Amino acid sequence: MSAEFPCRPRARKGRLVAKSRTDSNPVTHEDRMTAIKSLTAALMIGVSGLFLAAPAMAELNITIDSPVIEPMPFAIPSFVDEGGAGEYASNIARVVAADLAGTGLFREIPAEAHISRVTAFDAPIAYNDWQAINAQALIVGAVQASGDRIVVKFRLFDVFTGQALGEGLQFAGTPDSWRRMAHKVADAVYSRITGEGPYFDSRVVYVSESGPKNQRQKRLAVMDYDGANVAYLTDSSSIVLAPRFSPSGDKILFTSYASGFPQIYIMDVGSLSVRSLGEVPGTMTFAPRFSPDGGTVVFSLEQGGNTDIYAMDVGGGGLRQLTNAPSIETAPSFSPDGSQIVFESDRSGSQQLYIMSAGGGEAVRVSGGKGRYGTPVWSPRGDMIAFTKQNEGRFHIGVMRTDGSEERLLTASFLDEGPTWAPNGRVVMFTRESAGAGGQAQLFSVDISGRNLKPVPTDGPASDPAWSPLLP
C-alpha cells in the first residue's frame, strides 16, 4: 500500500508503526552492475535521418479521441540482415510490432498472410500485394551488427496512397541497447500516425514485492515500460515505497523505513548511491516528488500528529512549509510549468483534491464528485490530473481537467491506486490489488479514454509504479 494513498481511514494522531524485514533478497554485485548498465544504456544511442528521395505527404493517421477506434492493420516483415545481425533483425521487428499492437490502436497482419517478401531495404514496394491483405501501414527495416555496434534503420509507408510517411531514420548503439532502438522505431511510427508524443522508449521504477500479504518484503526495481530488462536497485531489508524519477531521469526519490520510521531518500541512477534527502529530527517524511526543473522536492512531513506539505532543495537544504492546517495534507504533485501543486487533504472532512501555488498559500478544491479522492498526479501535458477514487466500496483510477471538470473514471476494482503518467500523457499505469488473504498487487495500464486496460508483466507482485521521462 502506498504511503500516499488517502482512501483508507487513518489516525490523525500518533506515529506510524516502524517496520523492518529480514534481508532475504540482497542486492548482489551482479544485480548492481545489471541495474547500472540498464539505466545508463540511454547514453549509448545515436539517431540520424536517411536521406532518401523526398517523400510525398501521406494521409495515414489515427484520431485517438474518436469514440470508436478500429485498430489500424499494419505489416512489419522481419528486418533485413545487412551483415552480422542474426536474431537482432527478427527480434527488433517483434518488439516494434508488440509496442504498436499493445496500444490497442494497431493490429498486426501475421507474417504468414504476407504475399510480398522484403529482401532488401531499398527494394521497390509492391503496394498491390500489401493492399491485397488490407495492410494500411507497412514498416520496412534493416539491421547491421559489427563488434560492439548495431545500426537499425526503418521506413514507414502508407500502403493505399503508395507513399512514404516521413523520411527514414537510423539508430546506432551497442548490442545491449537493441530493445531501446526497437522502442525508438515504434515511437517514430506511433507519433507519425497518431500525432501524439512517443512513450515506448521509457522506463518504470516500482516496488517489487514478495512474501505473504501480511508480511510483504519490498525492494525497488526498474524495468522497461513493457516489463523487460528488470534490474533491482535495493534489497528487502526495509520497506520501501513511492519511488519517483527526476525530470531528467538521473535520480530516484523514494520513502524507506530503514531508520524505523518513514524517511525520504534519493538515489543516483548512474552509481546507485543513496543518501537521505535531509532528516528533520522528530518527524516522518514521505510522498516525495520532484519539481519540473529537478531542483526542488515537495513532500509530506508529519510532526506531533499533524501532516503538512513542505518543500526542500534537492541538495537537502532550504526547508519551507507550504501548508499549515490541522488536517492531513499529502501526495503533492507539481504542474508541468512548476507554478502550482495539486495535493490531497481531508480539511473538508474527507479526502479531496486541492490546488495551490507552488509557494503555498490559499488552496482551491477541484474534486467535486461523490466519494474520496487521493494520489493526484499532474499530466506531463498539463491538461489533466490523474487520481485514485474510492466510492461505494470500489476503487477507481480516474482523470479530470485541472479545474475539476470532465471527470472520467477509467477503472473499477477491489483496489486500484497510485496512477503514474506515460511521458506523452496518453496512458496511465497504476497498482491493482486482488482481494483476500492471498491477494497480490499487480501493475496495470490504461489509455486515458478508458480503453485498452491490460496488466503490465512483472517478475512477481508489484506496486507503486512511476514512469520515467522519455529516454534521450
CSV table of all heavy atoms in Angstrom, one decimal, residues 382-428:
chain,number,residue,atom,x,y,z
A,382,GLY,N,0.0,18.9,-18.9
A,382,GLY,CA,-0.6,20.0,-18.2
A,382,GLY,C,-2.1,20.1,-18.3
A,382,GLY,O,-2.7,21.0,-17.6
A,383,ASP,N,-2.8,19.2,-19.0
A,383,ASP,CA,-4.2,19.4,-19.3
A,383,ASP,C,-5.1,18.6,-18.3
A,383,ASP,O,-6.3,18.8,-18.3
A,383,ASP,CB,-4.5,19.0,-20.7
A,383,ASP,CG,-4.1,17.6,-21.1
A,383,ASP,OD1,-3.3,17.0,-20.4
A,383,ASP,OD2,-4.7,17.0,-22.1
A,384,MET,N,-4.5,17.6,-17.6
A,384,MET,CA,-5.3,16.7,-16.8
A,384,MET,C,-4.6,16.4,-15.5
A,384,MET,O,-3.4,16.5,-15.4
A,384,MET,CB,-5.7,15.4,-17.5
A,384,MET,CG,-6.7,15.5,-18.6
A,384,MET,SD,-7.1,13.9,-19.3
A,384,MET,CE,-8.5,14.4,-20.4
A,385,ILE,N,-5.4,15.9,-14.6
A,385,ILE,CA,-4.9,15.3,-13.3
A,385,ILE,C,-5.5,13.9,-13.2
A,385,ILE,O,-6.7,13.7,-13.3
A,385,ILE,CB,-5.3,16.2,-12.1
A,385,ILE,CG1,-4.7,17.6,-12.2
A,385,ILE,CG2,-5.0,15.5,-10.8
A,385,ILE,CD1,-5.2,18.6,-11.2
A,386,ALA,N,-4.6,12.9,-12.9
A,386,ALA,CA,-5.0,11.6,-12.7
A,386,ALA,C,-5.1,11.4,-11.1
A,386,ALA,O,-4.4,12.1,-10.4
A,386,ALA,CB,-4.0,10.6,-13.2
A,387,PHE,N,-6.0,10.5,-10.7
A,387,PHE,CA,-6.2,10.4,-9.3
A,387,PHE,C,-6.7,9.0,-8.9
A,387,PHE,O,-7.1,8.2,-9.8
A,387,PHE,CB,-7.2,11.4,-8.8
A,387,PHE,CG,-8.5,11.4,-9.5
A,387,PHE,CD1,-9.6,10.5,-9.1
A,387,PHE,CD2,-8.7,12.2,-10.7
A,387,PHE,CE1,-10.8,10.5,-9.8
A,387,PHE,CE2,-9.9,12.1,-11.4
A,387,PHE,CZ,-10.9,11.3,-10.9
A,388,THR,N,-6.8,8.7,-7.6
A,388,THR,CA,-7.4,7.5,-7.1
A,388,THR,C,-8.7,7.9,-6.5
A,388,THR,O,-8.8,8.9,-5.8
A,388,THR,CB,-6.5,6.8,-6.0
A,388,THR,OG1,-5.3,6.4,-6.6
A,388,THR,CG2,-7.2,5.5,-5.5
A,389,LYS,N,-9.8,7.1,-6.7
A,389,LYS,CA,-11.1,7.5,-6.1
A,389,LYS,C,-11.6,6.3,-5.4
A,389,LYS,O,-11.6,5.1,-5.9
A,389,LYS,CB,-12.0,8.0,-7.2
A,389,LYS,CG,-13.4,8.4,-6.6
A,389,LYS,CD,-14.3,9.1,-7.7
A,389,LYS,CE,-15.6,9.5,-7.1
A,389,LYS,NZ,-16.4,10.2,-8.1
A,390,GLN,N,-12.2,6.5,-4.2
A,390,GLN,CA,-13.0,5.4,-3.5
A,390,GLN,C,-14.4,5.9,-3.4
A,390,GLN,O,-14.7,7.0,-2.9
A,390,GLN,CB,-12.4,5.1,-2.2
A,390,GLN,CG,-13.1,4.0,-1.4
A,390,GLN,CD,-12.6,3.8,0.0
A,390,GLN,OE1,-12.0,4.7,0.5
A,390,GLN,NE2,-13.0,2.7,0.6
A,391,ASN,N,-15.3,5.0,-3.8
A,391,ASN,CA,-16.8,5.3,-3.7
A,391,ASN,C,-17.6,4.1,-3.7
A,391,ASN,O,-17.4,3.2,-4.5
A,391,ASN,CB,-17.2,6.2,-4.9
A,391,ASN,CG,-18.6,6.7,-4.8
A,391,ASN,OD1,-19.0,7.1,-3.7
A,391,ASN,ND2,-19.4,6.7,-5.9
A,392,GLU,N,-18.5,3.9,-2.7
A,392,GLU,CA,-19.4,2.8,-2.6
A,392,GLU,C,-18.6,1.5,-2.6
A,392,GLU,O,-19.0,0.5,-3.3
A,392,GLU,CB,-20.4,2.9,-3.7
A,392,GLU,CG,-21.3,4.1,-3.6
A,392,GLU,CD,-22.4,4.1,-4.7
A,392,GLU,OE1,-22.3,3.3,-5.6
A,392,GLU,OE2,-23.3,5.0,-4.6
A,393,GLY,N,-17.5,1.4,-1.9
A,393,GLY,CA,-16.8,0.2,-1.7
A,393,GLY,C,-15.9,-0.2,-2.9
A,393,GLY,O,-15.3,-1.3,-2.9
A,394,ARG,N,-15.8,0.6,-3.9
A,394,ARG,CA,-15.0,0.3,-5.1
A,394,ARG,C,-13.9,1.4,-5.2
A,394,ARG,O,-14.1,2.5,-4.9
A,394,ARG,CB,-15.8,0.3,-6.4
A,394,ARG,CG,-16.9,-0.8,-6.3
A,394,ARG,CD,-16.4,-2.1,-6.6
A,394,ARG,NE,-16.2,-2.4,-8.0
A,394,ARG,CZ,-15.6,-3.5,-8.5
A,394,ARG,NH1,-15.2,-4.4,-7.7
A,394,ARG,NH2,-15.4,-3.6,-9.8
A,395,PHE,N,-12.8,1.0,-5.8
A,395,PHE,CA,-11.7,1.9,-6.1
A,395,PHE,C,-11.5,2.1,-7.6
A,395,PHE,O,-11.7,1.2,-8.4
A,395,PHE,CB,-10.4,1.3,-5.5
A,395,PHE,CG,-10.2,1.5,-4.0
A,395,PHE,CD1,-10.9,0.6,-3.1
A,395,PHE,CD2,-9.4,2.5,-3.4
A,395,PHE,CE1,-10.8,0.8,-1.8
A,395,PHE,CE2,-9.3,2.6,-2.1
A,395,PHE,CZ,-10.0,1.8,-1.2
A,396,HIS,N,-11.2,3.3,-7.9
A,396,HIS,CA,-11.1,3.7,-9.3
A,396,HIS,C,-9.8,4.5,-9.6
A,396,HIS,O,-9.4,5.2,-8.7
A,396,HIS,CB,-12.3,4.5,-9.8
A,396,HIS,CG,-13.6,4.0,-9.4
A,396,HIS,ND1,-14.4,3.2,-10.2
A,396,HIS,CD2,-14.3,4.1,-8.2
A,396,HIS,CE1,-15.5,2.9,-9.6
A,396,HIS,NE2,-15.5,3.4,-8.4
A,397,ILE,N,-9.3,4.4,-10.8
A,397,ILE,CA,-8.4,5.3,-11.3
A,397,ILE,C,-9.2,6.2,-12.3
A,397,ILE,O,-9.9,5.8,-13.1
A,397,ILE,CB,-7.2,4.6,-12.1
A,397,ILE,CG1,-6.4,3.7,-11.2
A,397,ILE,CG2,-6.3,5.7,-12.7
A,397,ILE,CD1,-5.8,4.4,-10.0
A,398,GLY,N,-9.0,7.5,-12.1
A,398,GLY,CA,-9.7,8.5,-13.0
A,398,GLY,C,-8.8,9.6,-13.4
A,398,GLY,O,-7.7,9.8,-13.0
A,399,VAL,N,-9.4,10.4,-14.3
A,399,VAL,CA,-8.7,11.7,-14.8
A,399,VAL,C,-9.8,12.8,-14.8
A,399,VAL,O,-11.0,12.5,-14.9
A,399,VAL,CB,-8.1,11.5,-16.2
A,399,VAL,CG1,-7.0,10.5,-16.1
A,399,VAL,CG2,-9.2,11.1,-17.2
A,400,MET,N,-9.3,14.0,-14.6
A,400,MET,CA,-10.2,15.2,-14.7
A,400,MET,C,-9.4,16.3,-15.3
A,400,MET,O,-8.1,16.3,-15.3
A,400,MET,CB,-10.7,15.5,-13.3
A,400,MET,CG,-9.6,16.0,-12.3
A,400,MET,SD,-10.3,16.6,-10.7
A,400,MET,CE,-11.1,15.2,-10.0
A,401,ARG,N,-10.1,17.3,-15.7
A,401,ARG,CA,-9.4,18.6,-16.1
A,401,ARG,C,-8.9,19.3,-14.9
A,401,ARG,O,-9.3,19.0,-13.8
A,401,ARG,CB,-10.4,19.5,-16.9
A,401,ARG,CG,-10.9,19.0,-18.2
A,401,ARG,CD,-9.8,18.8,-19.2
A,401,ARG,NE,-10.2,18.3,-20.5
A,401,ARG,CZ,-9.4,18.0,-21.5
A,401,ARG,NH1,-8.1,18.2,-21.4
A,401,ARG,NH2,-9.9,17.5,-22.6
A,402,THR,N,-8.0,20.2,-15.0
A,402,THR,CA,-7.3,20.8,-13.9
A,402,THR,C,-8.2,21.7,-13.1
A,402,THR,O,-7.9,22.0,-11.9
A,402,THR,CB,-6.1,21.6,-14.3
A,402,THR,OG1,-6.5,22.6,-15.3
A,402,THR,CG2,-5.0,20.7,-15.0
A,403,ASP,N,-9.4,22.0,-13.6
A,403,ASP,CA,-10.4,22.8,-12.8
A,403,ASP,C,-11.4,21.8,-12.2
A,403,ASP,O,-12.4,22.3,-11.6
A,403,ASP,CB,-11.1,23.8,-13.7
A,403,ASP,CG,-11.8,23.2,-14.9
A,403,ASP,OD1,-11.8,22.0,-15.0
A,403,ASP,OD2,-12.5,24.0,-15.6
A,404,GLY,N,-11.2,20.5,-12.3
A,404,GLY,CA,-12.1,19.5,-11.8
A,404,GLY,C,-13.2,19.1,-12.7
A,404,GLY,O,-14.0,18.2,-12.3
A,405,SER,N,-13.3,19.7,-13.9
A,405,SER,CA,-14.4,19.3,-14.8
A,405,SER,C,-14.0,18.0,-15.6
A,405,SER,O,-12.9,17.6,-15.6
A,405,SER,CB,-14.7,20.5,-15.8
A,405,SER,OG,-13.5,20.7,-16.6
A,406,GLU,N,-15.0,17.5,-16.2
A,406,GLU,CA,-14.9,16.3,-17.1
A,406,GLU,C,-14.2,15.2,-16.4
A,406,GLU,O,-13.3,14.5,-17.0
A,406,GLU,CB,-14.1,16.7,-18.4
A,406,GLU,CG,-14.7,17.8,-19.2
A,406,GLU,CD,-13.9,18.1,-20.5
A,406,GLU,OE1,-13.3,17.2,-21.1
A,406,GLU,OE2,-13.9,19.3,-20.9
A,407,GLU,N,-14.7,14.9,-15.2
A,407,GLU,CA,-14.1,13.7,-14.5
A,407,GLU,C,-14.5,12.4,-15.3
A,407,GLU,O,-15.6,12.3,-15.7
A,407,GLU,CB,-14.7,13.7,-13.1
A,407,GLU,CG,-14.2,12.4,-12.3
A,407,GLU,CD,-14.7,12.4,-10.9
A,407,GLU,OE1,-14.8,13.5,-10.2
A,407,GLU,OE2,-15.1,11.3,-10.4
A,408,ARG,N,-13.5,11.6,-15.4
A,408,ARG,CA,-13.8,10.3,-16.1
A,408,ARG,C,-13.1,9.2,-15.4
A,408,ARG,O,-11.9,9.2,-15.1
A,408,ARG,CB,-13.2,10.4,-17.5
A,408,ARG,CG,-13.3,9.1,-18.4
A,408,ARG,CD,-12.5,9.2,-19.7
A,408,ARG,NE,-12.8,10.5,-20.4
A,408,ARG,CZ,-11.9,11.2,-21.0
A,408,ARG,NH1,-10.7,10.8,-21.1
A,408,ARG,NH2,-12.3,12.3,-21.7
A,409,LEU,N,-13.9,8.2,-14.9
A,409,LEU,CA,-13.3,7.0,-14.2
A,409,LEU,C,-12.9,6.0,-15.3
A,409,LEU,O,-13.7,5.6,-16.1
A,409,LEU,CB,-14.3,6.4,-13.3
A,409,LEU,CG,-14.8,7.4,-12.2
A,409,LEU,CD1,-15.7,6.7,-11.2
A,409,LEU,CD2,-13.6,8.0,-11.4
A,410,LEU,N,-11.6,5.5,-15.2
A,410,LEU,CA,-11.1,4.6,-16.2
A,410,LEU,C,-11.1,3.2,-15.8
A,410,LEU,O,-11.1,2.3,-16.6
A,410,LEU,CB,-9.6,5.0,-16.5
A,410,LEU,CG,-9.3,6.5,-16.8
A,410,LEU,CD1,-7.8,6.7,-17.0
A,410,LEU,CD2,-10.1,6.9,-18.0
A,411,THR,N,-11.2,2.9,-14.5
A,411,THR,CA,-11.1,1.6,-13.9
A,411,THR,C,-12.1,1.4,-12.7
A,411,THR,O,-12.5,2.4,-12.2
A,411,THR,CB,-9.7,1.2,-13.5
A,411,THR,OG1,-9.4,1.8,-12.2
A,411,THR,CG2,-8.7,1.6,-14.5
A,412,ALA,N,-12.3,0.2,-12.3
A,412,ALA,CA,-13.1,-0.1,-11.1
A,412,ALA,C,-12.7,-1.5,-10.6
A,412,ALA,O,-12.6,-2.4,-11.4
A,412,ALA,CB,-14.6,0.0,-11.4
A,413,SER,N,-12.3,-1.6,-9.4
A,413,SER,CA,-11.9,-2.9,-8.8
A,413,SER,C,-12.0,-2.9,-7.3
A,413,SER,O,-12.3,-1.9,-6.7
A,413,SER,CB,-10.6,-3.4,-9.3
A,413,SER,OG,-9.5,-2.8,-8.6
A,414,PHE,N,-11.5,-4.0,-6.7
A,414,PHE,CA,-11.4,-4.1,-5.3
A,414,PHE,C,-10.4,-3.0,-4.8
A,414,PHE,O,-10.7,-2.4,-3.8
A,414,PHE,CB,-10.9,-5.5,-4.9
A,414,PHE,CG,-10.4,-5.6,-3.5
A,414,PHE,CD1,-11.3,-5.6,-2.4
A,414,PHE,CD2,-9.1,-5.7,-3.2
A,414,PHE,CE1,-10.8,-5.7,-1.1
A,414,PHE,CE2,-8.6,-5.8,-1.9
A,414,PHE,CZ,-9.5,-5.8,-0.9
A,415,LEU,N,-9.3,-2.9,-5.4
A,415,LEU,CA,-8.3,-1.8,-5.0
A,415,LEU,C,-7.5,-1.4,-6.2
A,415,LEU,O,-6.6,-2.2,-6.6
A,415,LEU,CB,-7.4,-2.3,-3.9
A,415,LEU,CG,-6.3,-1.4,-3.4
A,415,LEU,CD1,-6.9,0.0,-3.0
A,415,LEU,CD2,-5.6,-2.0,-2.2
A,416,ASP,N,-7.7,-0.3,-6.8
A,416,ASP,CA,-6.8,0.4,-7.8
A,416,ASP,C,-6.3,1.6,-7.1
A,416,ASP,O,-7.1,2.4,-6.5
A,416,ASP,CB,-7.6,0.7,-9.0
A,416,ASP,CG,-8.0,-0.5,-9.9
A,416,ASP,OD1,-7.5,-1.6,-9.6
A,416,ASP,OD2,-8.8,-0.3,-10.8
A,417,GLU,N,-5.0,1.9,-7.3
A,417,GLU,CA,-4.5,3.1,-6.7
A,417,GLU,C,-3.2,3.5,-7.3
A,417,GLU,O,-2.5,2.8,-8.1
A,417,GLU,CB,-4.2,2.9,-5.2
A,417,GLU,CG,-3.1,1.8,-4.9
A,417,GLU,CD,-2.7,1.7,-3.5
A,417,GLU,OE1,-2.9,2.7,-2.7
A,417,GLU,OE2,-2.2,0.6,-3.1
A,418,GLY,N,-2.8,4.8,-7.1
A,418,GLY,CA,-1.4,5.3,-7.4
A,418,GLY,C,-1.1,5.4,-8.9
A,418,GLY,O,-0.2,4.8,-9.4
A,419,PRO,N,-1.8,6.3,-9.6
A,419,PRO,CA,-1.6,6.4,-11.0
A,419,PRO,C,-0.2,7.1,-11.3
A,419,PRO,O,0.2,7.9,-10.5
A,419,PRO,CB,-2.7,7.3,-11.6
A,419,PRO,CG,-3.1,8.1,-10.4
A,419,PRO,CD,-2.9,7.2,-9.2
A,420,THR,N,0.3,6.8,-12.5
A,420,THR,CA,1.5,7.5,-13.0
A,420,THR,C,1.4,7.6,-14.5
A,420,THR,O,0.8,6.8,-15.1
A,420,THR,CB,2.8,6.7,-12.6
A,420,THR,OG1,4.0,7.4,-13.2
A,420,THR,CG2,2.8,5.3,-13.2
A,421,TRP,N,1.8,8.8,-15.0
A,421,TRP,CA,1.6,9.1,-16.4
A,421,TRP,C,2.7,8.6,-17.3
A,421,TRP,O,3.9,8.8,-16.9
A,421,TRP,CB,1.5,10.6,-16.6
A,421,TRP,CG,0.2,11.2,-16.0
A,421,TRP,CD1,0.1,11.8,-14.8
A,421,TRP,CD2,-1.0,11.4,-16.7
A,421,TRP,NE1,-1.2,12.3,-14.7
A,421,TRP,CE2,-1.9,12.1,-15.9
A,421,TRP,CE3,-1.5,11.0,-18.0
A,421,TRP,CZ2,-3.2,12.4,-16.2
A,421,TRP,CZ3,-2.8,11.3,-18.3
A,421,TRP,CH2,-3.6,12.0,-17.5
A,422,ALA,N,2.4,8.1,-18.5
A,422,ALA,CA,3.4,7.9,-19.5
A,422,ALA,C,3.9,9.3,-20.0
A,422,ALA,O,3.3,10.3,-19.8
A,422,ALA,CB,2.7,7.2,-20.7
A,423,PRO,N,5.1,9.3,-20.5
A,423,PRO,CA,5.7,10.6,-20.9
A,423,PRO,C,4.9,11.5,-21.9
A,423,PRO,O,5.0,12.7,-21.9
A,423,PRO,CB,7.0,10.2,-21.6
A,423,PRO,CG,7.4,8.9,-21.0
A,423,PRO,CD,6.1,8.2,-20.8
A,424,ASN,N,4.0,10.8,-22.6
A,424,ASN,CA,3.2,11.6,-23.6
A,424,ASN,C,1.8,12.0,-23.0
A,424,ASN,O,1.0,12.6,-23.7
A,424,ASN,CB,3.0,10.9,-24.9
A,424,ASN,CG,2.2,9.6,-24.8
A,424,ASN,OD1,1.8,9.2,-23.7
A,424,ASN,ND2,1.8,9.0,-25.9
A,425,GLY,N,1.5,11.6,-21.8
A,425,GLY,CA,0.2,12.0,-21.2
A,425,GLY,C,-1.0,11.3,-21.8
A,425,GLY,O,-2.1,11.7,-21.6
A,426,ARG,N,-0.8,10.1,-22.5
A,426,ARG,CA,-1.9,9.4,-23.1
A,426,ARG,C,-2.3,8.1,-22.3
A,426,ARG,O,-3.3,7.6,-22.5
A,426,ARG,CB,-1.6,9.0,-24.5
A,426,ARG,CG,-1.7,10.1,-25.5
A,426,ARG,CD,-3.1,10.7,-25.7
A,426,ARG,NE,-4.1,9.7,-25.8
A,426,ARG,CZ,-5.4,10.0,-26.0
A,426,ARG,NH1,-5.7,11.2,-26.3
A,426,ARG,NH2,-6.3,9.1,-26.1
A,427,VAL,N,-1.3,7.6,-21.5
A,427,VAL,CA,-1.5,6.3,-20.9
A,427,VAL,C,-1.2,6.5,-19.4
A,427,VAL,O,-0.3,7.2,-19.0
A,427,VAL,CB,-0.6,5.2,-21.5
A,427,VAL,CG1,-0.8,3.9,-20.8
A,427,VAL,CG2,-0.9,5.1,-23.0
A,428,VAL,N,-1.9,5.8,-18.5
A,428,VAL,CA,-1.7,5.8,-17.1
A,428,VAL,C,-1.4,4.4,-16.6
A,428,VAL,O,-2.1,3.4,-17.0
A,428,VAL,CB,-3.0,6.3,-16.4
A,428,VAL,CG1,-2.8,6.2,-14.9
A,428,VAL,CG2,-3.2,7.8,-16.7
